[in-house]
Amino acid sequence: MDRTVLIVDDHAGFRALARKLLAAEGWEVVGEAGDGAEALTEARRLHPELVLLDLNLPDGSGLDVAERLAATDPAPQVVLTSTHDEDELHELARARRATGFVPQRLLSGARLEAVLSGR
Amino acid sequence: MTTHPDSPALSLPPELHAVLDAALDCVVAMGADGRVVLFNAAAQRTFGYTAEQAVGADMAELLVPPSLRARHRDGVARHLAGGAPAVLDRRIEITGLRADGSEFPVELTVTRLRGAEPVLFVAYLRDITDRKLAEAELKASRIRIVEAADAARRRIERDLHDGAQQRLVMLALQLRIARGRVGDGDESAALLDEALAELDGATAELRELARGIHPAVLTEGGLHPALRALAARSAVPVVLQEVPDARFAASVEATAYFVVAEALTNVARHACAERATVVVREEAGALVVEVRDDGCGGAAGAGGTGLRGLDDRLAALGGRLSMQSPSGEGTTIRAEIPCAS
């Protein structure tokens, strides 16, 4: 069965491309959200396995949203993403209860699988 | 205020009174009993008393704020009893009291006229309110300049990030989607792979540029992750011995970060060191940053290196930068950055 993902980014262009890219690798994009508040609502409604979460959201930091998502039940896995691709953001993401970090430009289904399996 | 006919004013020739009254500085003299015997025109203007009101009055009651009076009287008594003069013949800054009750900063020197009988102390005073205000304004404006420069750097980094970097990311994703639709044997596949590699290079260059302007991780996560990243990229192995997780004012974090970055760059370039150690800790209202290396030492001053620019930045924030570099014993760079947290 396809793994389900909710894409959160205020940039519609990125959401569309990420959807195309992940769908081509067998992921089911169950929803999209443009900010943190919408992300929390949609995650509660759609119960995706994974939330792909932009670090810089118009209503605050993705790190805060990651923490709030981790506190929901059932909690989705959260992978933060950003146009920044500094390695240290990975650690920062984990410190805030997200599973990991993937730079936007390196986004792919395989990369997400790797982060989720801790590789 | 009444006059004090029983306490004779210092008897001076009228020419000498005229000389004293022409001075810009206040000249106030008192006897061993603490009473004023001379109060020139500048003193009258500055403190708001006429000579008739001042002469004969107790100097401490008249000109010294109540909170400082006891100390003043103790000092005079100790001196008259033969103690070493604590405040005589040197410049001191203290608070003065005007006739209207307002207090103001003064600089003054007090001297005891040698050989004068009876004892005579003469004080020369200046109201330094304007200078103090100017100093405070200068300090504030230097801090504002640093903060404005930092804000500008953050803005440039953000603009690069939201603009060019964002576009390159989109381009990378589009190319990768296209690449996914083209079989490996296709002629276009090689072209797309080349384009992706080229794009990777461009992105990396832009990223380095943005990071040098202001590292995003510093804004997002503070000093600890930013210094970990710096340590990871350093050419010389770096031990982060101690770094607080707490957040500080943006200008404090940026200064600490750039001190470590500059120091590590110098270590890699000049120190022939095998290891550098970074310690950041809060000490008495300041963030203290120390970068030590085990290299050859003997570094010549902070001048001529990027550290000089940091010296100005630190001075503006009321901090300081120092370096110790004994030959053969490695180099230690230490910065103290005031931080009210």
Side-chain angles (χ1 to χ4, degrees), chain B residues 189 253 264:
Chain B
E253 288 184 344
L264 289 180

Side-chain angles (χ1 to χ4, degrees), chain B residues 267 271 291-299 323-326 329-333:
Chain B
V267 170
V291 182
R292 293 193 298 271
D293 69 58
D294 59 359
C296 44
M323 178 168 78
Q324 286 190 314
S325 190
E329 291 176 46
T331 301
T332 300
I333 300 285

